[in-house]
Amino acid sequence: MAEEKKDKNCLECQKKKAARWREDFPVSWESDNYVTRREMVKFLALGSLTIAGANAVVAGLPYIAKAAEMPRTRIALASSIPVGRSKLFSYPTHEDPCILVRQPNGDLVAYSQVCTHLSCAVIHNEKENALFCPCHHGYFSVDEGRPFAGPPTRPLPRIKLEQRGNEIFAVGVEIA
Ligand code: FES
């Protein structure tokens, strides 16, 4: 018993035990740290991608659900929107505010009016030919709906348009 106690307290014996353990399981602490850091970066990158993907799916869910039953809604007369002007409308339901803009080249484009940052309503800034969100100064291009300034990172959902004679119809929603 006393012998065993002595053995436990013997520093030399403990070192020998540790050495035997290290022979069986050799660990290089430098490379171990390196691998751990790399794995952490991989984990963070994959985690970020997963969260971004989930956000896109969640943002698109209402439109995906409605895609099968997108109505065809008359939203304006083409002649009533001069170059550089805009018109507000709702699509696909009365609770989905949208904006129709006549670009300087004469083309009509329409987007959801709900900012992709924190859902404030974007407005048309005629001077800068952009869609502007006054909440946090987010800017979206009129021609593609892509964010180019401020906090938004996702483009505005685009409303598909069809023109028949002088009448403009909204016929669907595209999520980029
Ligand atoms: S809600 Fe539009 S920029 Fe923040």
Side-chain angles (χ1 to χ4, degrees), residues 55-70 92-93 96 173 175:
N55 270 342
V57 169
V58 168
L61 273 181
Y63 297 104
I64 291 166
K66 290 174 192 168
E69 50 189 81
M70 282 291 173
T93 72
D96 302 310
V173 180
I175 313 259

Side-chain angles (χ1 to χ4, degrees), residues 28-49:
S28 160
W29 290 108
E30 264 181 42
S31 60
D32 187 55
N33 284 340
Y34 177 70
V35 171
T36 301
R37 234 178 279 141
R38 192 191 302 166
E39 280 175 354
M40 185 67 172
V41 169
K42 265 191 209 167
F43 173 77
L44 288 176
L46 284 175
S48 301
L49 280 176

Side-chain angles (χ1 to χ4, degrees), residues 98-120:
C98 298
I99 186 164
L100 175 69
V101 182
R102 169 102 50 201
Q103 298 189 80
N105 65 6
D107 290 347
L108 282 166
V109 285
Y111 299 97
S112 163
Q113 213 190 349
V114 180
C115 178
T116 55
H117 179 225
L118 291 176
S119 302
C120 289

Side-chain angles (χ1 to χ4, degrees), residues 70-108:
M70 282 291 173
R72 175 188 192 79
T73 308
R74 182 180 170 277
I75 54 171
L77 289 175
S79 58
S80 67
I81 307 164
V83 167
R85 303 312 287 266
S86 61
K87 183 185 181 204
L88 301 181
F89 64 100
S90 299
Y91 186 82
T93 72
H94 288 297
E95 285 148 32
D96 302 310
C98 298
I99 186 164
L100 175 69
V101 182
R102 169 102 50 201
Q103 298 189 80
N105 65 6
D107 290 347
L108 282 166

